[in-house]
Amino acid sequence: MAVATQLRTPEDLANLREQAATRRESKRMAIAICCGTGCRAQGSMDLVEEFRSRLEAEGLSDVEVRATGCHGFCERGPLVVIYPKEIFYCGVQDTDVADIVDKSIKGDELVESLLFRDPVSKNRFHLEHEVPFYAKQQRIVFRNNGKIDPVVISDYIAVDGYVALAKALTQMTPEAVIDEVEKSGLRGRGGGGFPTGRKWRICHGQPGDQKYIICNGDEGDPGAFMDRSIMEGDPHSVLEGMTIGAYAIGASRAYMYVRAEYPLAVANLEIALEQSRALGLLGEDIFGSGFSFDVEIVRGAGAFVCGEETGLISSIQGDIGSPRQRPPYPAESGLWDKPTNINNVETWANIPVIIDRGADWFASVGTEKSKGTKVFSLVGKVQNTGLVEVPMGTTLREIVYDIGGGILKKRKFKAVQTGGPSGGCIPEAMLDLPVDFEKLRDVGAMMGSGGLIVMDERTCMVDVAKYFLAFLVDESCGKCTPCREGLFQMHAILSRITEGRGREGDIELLQRLAAYVGESSLCQLGGTAPNPVLSTIRYFRDEYEAHIDHKRCPAGVCTSLVNFGIDSEACKGCGLCLKDCPTEAISGEKKAPHRIDETVCVQCGVCYEACPFDAITVE
Amino acid sequence: MIQTKHDQDDTAQWQPRIVAFLCNWCSYAGADLAGMSRLSYPASIKIIRLPCSGKVDPMFVLKSFERGADMVLVSGCHPGDCHYTSGNYHARRKLKAFRELMSFLGVDPRRFKFSWVSAAEGAKWSKLVEEITAEARELGPFRTFPEAAKTEASQ
Amino acid sequence: MARMGVFICWCGSNIAETVDCESVAQYASTLPGVVVGRSYKYMCSDPGQRLITDAIKEHNLSGVVVASCSPRMHEPTFRQAVATVGMNPYMLEMANIREHCSWVHTNRAEATEKAKDLVRVLVEKVKRNVPLADIEVPVTQRAMVIGAGIAGIQAALDVAAAGFEVALVERQPSIGGYMSMLDETFPTLDCSQCILTPRMVEIMQSKNITLHSFSEVEQVEGYVGNFEVSIRKKPRSVDMEKCTGCGDCWNNCMARNKIIAPSPVLPGEHTPPEVAEKVDAILATYTDPSGMVIGALQDVQREFNYLHPDALVYLSEKSEIPLARLYSVASFYNAFSLEPRGDNIIRTCLGTACHLRGGGRIADAISRELGIGDGETTKDMKFTLERVNCLGACALAPVVTVNNKYYGKMTIGKMMDVLEERAGQDAGQPQEQPQEATAV
Amino acid sequence: MINLTIDNQQIEAEEGKTLLAAATLAGIDIPTLCYHPAVPSAGACRICVVEITGGGQPGLVPACAYPVQEGLEIQTESERVVASRRMTLALMLARSPGATIIQEMAQEYGAEPVPMDKGDDDCIMCGLCVRVCQDVIGQSAVCFEGRGHERKITTPYDKQSEVCLGCGACAFICPTGAIDPADYCPHPLETIPNDFNCGLDTRTPIHIPFPQAVPNKPLIDRENCIHFITGGCEACKQICPADAIDFDMTDEYVTEKVGAIVVATGYELFNPDVYAEYGYGRYPDVVTSIEFERMVSASGPTTGELVRPSTGKPPKTVVFLQCIGSRREQGGLPYCSKICCMYTAKHAILYKHKVHDGQAFVFYMDVRSGGKNYEQFVRRVIKEQMATYLRGRVAKIFPSDGKLIVRGADTLSGTQVEIAAEMVVLAPAMVPAAGIRNLAQTLRIGYDEHGFLLEAHPKLRPVETNTAGVFLAGACHSPKDIPDSVAQASAAASKVLGLISHQTLTREPTIGIVDEETCNACFECEGACAYGAIGPKELKDRKGEVTAVVAYINEGLCQGCGACAVTCRSKSIEVQGYRDDQLFAAINATGR
């Protein structure tokens, strides 16, 4: 169905949009099935096949089956949404296809069992926008995810795709585009929050005819996967944003650096590139404006440090991803020593909307200094894990409880970690903190790429700090002493603490080392590495003291400080724990209270997780 | 050499007459050195000083034989040492060609000697004279040219 | 008609010992054109010379032959003498009856006979001499000294002191010669450097001396007074004007040893052909491999399931990217493995979300089950375990992938089942392929 | 130029320079470890961090890699800088407790007394070796492997390198000496012998021959310089503050017009390794006199401390052997080298000064001490028992348990003598400097069979040569000591002055003359003339018409060799004083 004709003028684009839109509307109904990595892992591709063959068998040719990108509510995957009514079915298996077709496609009823049931309020919702997970969200970046088929460009064009590009190239000067972006107040979504407009203006002002644009799709933060979903679900919005940016800055070439662990994203982007080149939306003299631009995909190879600008640049240049000292900043001398502008995937995806609907509209969303929305990946001990796009200023409580559906297994909320290894944790007391670059930084955390990891009482904060340090020690490029040696020593101290060999003064030592590493490291990986430790000490000093002074792990996580037992009254003898125990340390007859053999138990805590009756005791 | 020299009687042997054309810078100086070193050699040789072995005109050699020389010697600097850079090269090539002509004219080529003697080779000079004198004795007196000259003079 | 004078010298006893000088003189006077023939004990002495000059005046001689020692010794002496009385010096020549006669012959009769011959030859020649006038030649009033040891230095300084320009040519990079290597000098035990160095400095400071160090005489043209010496100044590779001798260069020179450049290697010389073939295919897809090193390595890894050493070496030779750089890149990034990997590549996610939901426990369980640690491969090459930092599917924590197939919300139990299922399959081609998109 | 403030001191620096360079120029010391002027900065070790207090983003930045900026204010010893430096040193000490430089720096700048896990790896991972090999030398033999704390420096696959040149730059530049190229270089490492110290110590390709060299400027030995062999390494060019290095220099030919030439090319020492019996070249403790001189010299390889090459300890017994190569009819040089007896006596004295309890022996044939105060000098050595003089020759030297047995004869006592020496010094003969024969031929002066230049007359004209205008001085004429050389030099100078002090000089008139009637302009003569003295000359009639062209001999250039006269077919050229009629007359006179 690929349209081969070149779009030479905005009018050509408009005609194509007309055609595509009418073709979409002509269909009575459309069954949108989420084929993001998450749902795909739960078999959504089979659903697509099943629906197609069923519809064919039933001769219902006026219904379209659309394999879309990620809808965001991964917890409840695979997701199916039936348009135009937006009926929302979750947890759909291929056995339910027949039911859905008969009731919702042919008839006008709902398949009750597949409707979303809110664990707290227990009532059911059958329209997507009513589902609490989506209700409070405002989807700008995810505007097309779930609505279009990522590998069909006409889908994207049908929903006003490339209108912004045509407007920018034919009606606006590069300076005007930059002013618009600056006026919009858009700030970098990669983590730093540097005003995008100003960044473009600096690079635009640099001398030299050859400039580069880079899309940072490394997304190294563990617990963050929004860039993935955008690249998989709506690649053209990123490409369009980059083309507009390149026009504004005067760059002729761009590189998209995509993580090795995102093969589907690479595949969808390659297809999107082919299709936009075929339509002349990339390559020579786009829309007859004389502006030529092309994009090349560079696959990352698994290095968190390549998320740092200069690390990424040296990786593209085919070398180890070691950052270098700045200045000179990449805007002055970046890729192959030419002026280079680097922005995150989510930042680029915002650009078309700003140009299309204007800076004022964008500025109306979000807080005074942090404009627009932010996509968070809500994960960890929360009911509804998935991607949440909320306007800046939304409070953490709303995200965790209203959207996230509260804590898993109704355990008590302890903290939420934002900004990944560079960020910090926020205790319950600050749940009402509105999400904003400055506010998060003030409390010792960081917006970061947007990973929101919810932790409950069963999470040991010292273990979390140790986890992040272990991550950073493994991901440090090893070039500068503070990061290579400092983090190693801090990790060693934390390991001692979690193994019950903590000593007096360890906390102060950690703080001094943290200050040193943060201050003296060469790049921002080292610069922000101490944040997780500092913030866990700041808010959960008591846990540290418990580990050091009393050799106890209140959360029952640090294995060497904990041993598990079974409370004979509470234990119903259901045998769940016995089945899961990896070392067969649990014994007992069905319906009779079970016992844990101390010598064999490795304190892995699986039984504690598995027991529905909280019969496992922790001392 | 304090005792006076007495007349040694070695006239019994026939004393060939050898005319020698020596280049002033090397061979002549070499002969001087032989003298200074008091080396002795037969008195058969009579030295004519020329600026360079390159100055030896083949006609001189012919004229010497005609005037009764039993042997003619031309001696110059070692190749490369010539005071005039290339004089000895000219001499070597010219006189080599002339030697073929002489044998054609009936003169035993062994009667015409060519050698290099540097200013420091006094000993080499004296040995050279001894050798060519012995050879000249072997060859015996050279008569072909003087007779021809005599008959010519007589006509 | 020539009026010749012949004067035989006795040279004390040096000539008279083996040559009867008186009879030679007597014989000479009988030669045609000879008007006076005398002999005297020391012709070169003052009375000897006066004997000649008086005879010239008395007999109005036109030419003189002096038979004595070598002309190389006293020709100038006698020529000056005759010039004082108006005779053209070139009308006088010498017959060498000492070095060429008396000193080398013992037989008195033969020696005397030879002396007579030599005199006769010279008389005949000199009869035909014509007066000659010396040639005036301009002199370049500059001097050259070749070699700047203590001798060269001294000569140059003396000439310069007299106000003349000197070109001092020294083959070594520095003047000073052997003396600069000495510690002390006999007999005074002066420190050699202390007495030499001032002279060396004097050379540099003297405005008359042009020093050509590290240079050799190549060619000498011309003759006394008008030499043209061409000097080859060997390249120091250091600009003498600019250099201040601060020492930064020789204190930081990197070549501490003699070096031997590696012999150039023909690409693929010792690479198994099938490996070379595959790498060539990969390289064909890149216009400029140096920019796409990571892409190229990923293709190589997909082809061989790991970065085969021969492939890396061959890639380095073909793309001229140093093997060191490829190796450091290969060992830097987690995605690459320098060791052969199993058919099933298990990746357990240890991202924050997965960590919290027990990702670590699953990884430990797999390690216990298969007996392999992080990055290791089972003996039967069936399984490789890699602990990775985030697979980007955090909503399904804890996540495990096997050859890019995602398994979400894993438990240890489920993991064991997957292992069994995978162990059962005979692997065949490893499925490390990226997922195909469902292009419509 | 950029203006900035360092430690409240107003500084001006060139744009593009780093803070470190600006500070060093202003005499402010900033410690560095992973920095080297010739290697691109990495800012890795962070020892050189300074604090930006104004005019830029505040914080700690590495001075070695941070460029100077207009109006920047930095402090090099602020409290934050010192704290950071102390922590960096503490961490490095924890990683490399054994590295001496880190211990010294910790002493000097203080290290935070922080309890840490101790490592034992001397390498502080500064990366200088990788960067010098990759960016300066251009070979990329060593590289990083892995990342983070497990990162290490190695060659690909820990195997022997195929590209390592063995230049040793990595070991030279490593601050802690943790790397040794011998581990991975494909060939054994070999230093560059310093010829000034007779190869007893080493030098680098760019070097000055010796500290007091004049001109005191370096040169590059292109045989060993990496740039000229592989095209890589421009370290010296990068570092030179005066930008004086110019690799493109080639031979330059200069013509000097001079009136007189003094040859003073000096001598060399005969190489005694031809005499197997002395074992020179085989036994390290058998040295030549010049090597001994260098060993005792303060500017020598051991800064004046005399030690045995084999053990490095002062030799207790030294045997001096005279006339090695000199005064030998066969297999050597027949002449006496004149200076050896004197410098051996001097060596005996120097040896006494250096090793008071040492014992010296001298095997001699005859002590030649003819110069002024020479004999008294030698007498003093003998009288004050500085050396035992043994008249006789040495038959053989052979090693036995760490010593060198010198077996020789003492003809005065008529006995066989064996001395267990710890060092043997040979006094080799003096031979003219290498290449003397070529030079003599170029100058067209004579030389003897040993290569010593020939003086015009040994007694009367000792400083002149047979070629007018060329004079001799020093050992190139014959073996001589310094006093004689200097005297001869001054003599030669006076001869030169005698010649060039005049505007003109007279020359022998024995030159060629062309008989213009008979010359048929075949110009054969022009080819024969070595001096280019012959050229065409136009004969004109009164009306200026050219009637004929004949050969013309330039009076100034012609040397009178007569080659043209002999070549001339029409016999139109005569050499004045050696005309054919004169010579024929002389030849005629040879007959009775």
Side-chain angles (χ1 to χ4, degrees), chain A residues 66 84 93 97 119 125 156 176 189 244 300 302 343 394 415 431 439 486 504 549 554 592:
Chain A
R66 191 180 300 140
Q93 298 307 325
V97 169
F125 302 85
Y156 180 70
R189 291 317 192 236
I244 295 170
N343 279 115
T394 317
L431 258 183
K439 292 272 186 326
E504 193 47 42
D549 306 342

Side-chain angles (χ1 to χ4, degrees), chain C residues 98-295:
Chain C
R98 188 179 70 171
E99 284 88 345
H100 290 182
C101 188
S102 66
W103 276 350
V104 286
H105 305 317
T106 47
N107 180 312
R108 192 171 173 77
E110 279 186 349
T112 308
E113 200 46 39
K114 178 172 176 180
K116 286 176 183 164
D117 288 347
L118 292 178
V119 166
R120 183 179 63 249
V121 165
L122 252 297
V123 164
E124 286 309 317
K125 178 175 189 270
V126 175
K127 266 197 234 169
R128 289 165 177 73
N129 277 18
V130 292
L132 300 171
D134 278 346
I135 301 170
E136 284 294 313
V137 171
V139 171
T140 316
Q141 295 192 293
R142 294 178 75 242
M144 166 175 285
V145 175
I146 302 174
I150 182 61
I153 288 173
Q154 183 59 44
L157 287 176
D158 286 357
V159 173
F164 293 98
E165 277 181 15
V166 180
L168 178 58
V169 182
E170 167 52 49
R171 175 169 57 182
Q172 295 301 334
S174 164
I175 63 178
Y178 252 94
M179 189 173 171
S180 58
M181 295 174 79
L182 305 185
D183 180 27
E184 290 170 354
T185 56
F186 56 82
T188 53
L189 293 183
D190 295 341
C191 152
S192 170
Q193 299 285 359
C194 309
I195 54 179
L196 174 66
T197 320
R199 283 301 164 79
M200 291 161 69
V201 172
E202 247 182 280
I203 289 278
M204 286 311 280
Q205 279 154 359
S206 160
K207 55 181 177 14
N208 284 343
I209 298 176
T210 323
L211 171 62
H212 296 290
S213 62
F214 203 42
S215 307
E216 287 190 59
V217 167
E218 201 63 23
Q219 242 190 348
V220 178
E221 303 290 338
Y223 49 92
V224 55
N226 297 280
F227 289 113
E228 269 191 37
V229 182
S230 107
I231 298 164
R232 179 163 74 95
K233 288 177 81 77
K234 291 182 277 188
R236 272 177 173 272
S237 312
V238 174
D239 181 333
M240 300 283 272
E241 275 78 37
K242 291 186 188 164
C243 170
T244 59
C246 69
D248 279 3
C249 55
W250 65 74
N251 292 331
N252 287 302
C253 173
M254 291 300 161
R256 313 310 294 180
N257 303 319
K258 286 188 177 172
I259 65 167
I260 300 175
S263 49
V265 164
L266 204 59
E269 218 172 301
H270 23 66
T271 316
E274 71 282 1
V275 171
E277 223 177 278
K278 286 182 181 165
V279 174
D280 282 336
I282 291 172
L283 275 176
T285 62
Y286 291 97
T287 45
D288 154 25
S290 71
M292 299 306 278
V293 167
I294 292 176

Side-chain angles (χ1 to χ4, degrees), chain C residues 72-73 90 113 117 120-121 124-125 128-130 132-147 150-152 154-155 158-159 162 164 167 171 173-175 178-187 189 193 200 204 211-214 217-220 222-240 242-243 245 248-262 309 312 322-324 327-328 331-332 334, chain D residues 36 132 137 140 143-147 157 162 165-169 172 187 190-192 196 204-206 208 210 212-215 217-220 222 224 226 229 239 242-246 249 251-262 264-265 267 269 293-294 296-297 342-343 346 350 374 377 434 442-444 457 466 468-469 482 486 489-490 493 496-497 499-507 509 511 556 559 576-577 579 581-582 585-586 589-592:
Chain C
R72 295 164 52 79
M73 278 277 285
Y90 292 94
E113 200 46 39
D117 288 347
R120 183 179 63 249
V121 165
E124 286 309 317
K125 178 175 189 270
R128 289 165 177 73
N129 277 18
V130 292
L132 300 171
D134 278 346
I135 301 170
E136 284 294 313
V137 171
V139 171
T140 316
Q141 295 192 293
R142 294 178 75 242
M144 166 175 285
V145 175
I146 302 174
I150 182 61
Q154 183 59 44
D158 286 357
V159 173
F164 293 98
R171 175 169 57 182
S174 164
I175 63 178
Y178 252 94
M179 189 173 171
S180 58
M181 295 174 79
L182 305 185
D183 180 27
E184 290 170 354
T185 56
F186 56 82
L189 293 183
Q193 299 285 359
M200 291 161 69
M204 286 311 280
L211 171 62
H212 296 290
S213 62
F214 203 42
V217 167
E218 201 63 23
Q219 242 190 348
V220 178
Y223 49 92
V224 55
N226 297 280
F227 289 113
E228 269 191 37
V229 182
S230 107
I231 298 164
R232 179 163 74 95
K233 288 177 81 77
K234 291 182 277 188
R236 272 177 173 272
S237 312
V238 174
D239 181 333
M240 300 283 272
K242 291 186 188 164
C243 170
D248 279 3
C249 55
W250 65 74
N251 292 331
N252 287 302
C253 173
M254 291 300 161
R256 313 310 294 180
N257 303 319
K258 286 188 177 172
I259 65 167
I260 300 175
L312 226 56
L323 180 60
Y327 185 75
S328 57
S331 59
F332 183 87
N334 280 355
Chain D
H36 184 277
V132 76
I137 309 291
S140 298
C143 63
F144 288 113
E145 181 190 316
R147 66 176 188 214
Y157 298 102
E162 307 256 326
L165 302 176
C167 67
F172 166 62
H187 55 269
E190 192 196 339
T191 54
I192 303 167
F196 180 74
T204 52
I206 187 164
I208 48 169
F210 55 97
Q212 301 81 1
V214 166
K217 305 279 167 75
L219 76 148
I220 294 183
R222 293 187 171 190
N224 291 308
I226 298 173
I229 296 174
I239 282 187
D243 188 20
I245 307 290
D246 174 2
M249 265 190 185
D251 282 351
E252 200 193 317
Y253 288 86
V254 168
T255 308
E256 287 280 4
K257 284 195 166 64
V258 289
I261 299 174
V262 176
T265 46
Y267 70 98
L269 288 183
E293 188 82 33
R294 288 316 305 153
V296 294
S297 162
M342 288 313 298
Y343 69 55
K346 176 192 77 175
L350 292 182
Y374 280 17
F377 183 77
T442 312
L443 291 164
R444 287 192 285 287
H457 190 275
N466 285 331
I482 293 174
V486 171
S490 293
V496 163
L497 291 175
L499 192 141
I500 63 172
S501 53
H502 305 286
Q503 298 281 352
T504 63
L505 63 83
T506 56
R507 256 200 43 231
I511 58 166
Q559 293 300 298
Q576 288 190 288
R579 297 191 322 280
D581 59 313
Q582 285 175 291
T590 57
R592 282 284 182 292

Side-chain angles (χ1 to χ4, degrees), chain C residues 4 19 60 115 122 152 195 233 258 264 350 384 386 422 434:
Chain C
M4 298 291 297
V19 169
N60 184 15
L122 252 297
I195 54 179
K233 288 177 81 77
K258 286 188 177 172
L350 293 178
T384 300
E386 287 178 2
R422 286 281 170 162

